[in-house]
Amino acid sequence: PVIAEANITAYRAGWNFGETTEEFATVYEVAPASKAFTPGTYRNISGNLALAYGLIAAGSQADLPLFLGSYPITPASDILHELARHKNFGVRTFQAEDEIAGIGAALGAAFGGALA
């Protein structure tokens, strides 16, 4: 109970600071999408998907094979999964056993002429 009460007190202090601070002088208000865009068909795209598509486009524009050496980790796994679907664009993916192996594989691929 003592630890729980300390955590609740810290949470409330943080909340109150955020509500009352004047550190943030600029305020932005984003209009609902229905007012900002005309009706039509749109694609919902995440940052990871956009990055994967951008990497594919960069490899294509540079006329280089694209290589991703990666260790699956929750925020970035989607990049590995998406790139693995696009072998037809010269993409090669490697799921490494740890981060250092992924970096080593990417360095080797870069020295071998790939966009890695």
Side-chain angles (χ1 to χ4, degrees):
V2 173
I3 293 172
E5 185 58 37
N7 285 333
I8 292 168
T9 301
Y11 170 78
R12 287 186 178 143
W15 175 269
N16 289 331
F17 175 78
E19 288 293 310
T20 60
T21 186
E22 295 179 9
E23 295 292 320
F24 311 107
T26 305
V27 177
Y28 297 98
E29 188 170 325
V30 179
S34 60
K35 293 181 182 177
F37 298 101
T38 58
T41 302
Y42 295 91
R43 172 176 282 226
N44 185 11
I45 188 167
S46 69
N48 284 346
L49 185 59
L51 176 62
Y53 289 170
L55 290 170
I56 293 167
S60 178
Q61 291 290 313
D63 198 27
L64 292 172
L66 176 65
F67 177 84
L68 176 72
S70 178
Y71 176 74
I73 186 165
T74 301
S77 293
D78 292 342
I79 300 165
L80 176 63
H81 299 160
E82 187 61 34
L83 287 177
R85 293 184 184 107
H86 298 287
K87 295 188 184 329
N88 56 314
F89 289 109
V91 177
R92 298 293 174 257
T93 55
F94 171 69
Q95 181 176 321
E97 65 271 12
D98 58 32
E99 292 89 344
I100 294 171
I103 292 166
L107 287 171
F111 278 110
L115 179 62

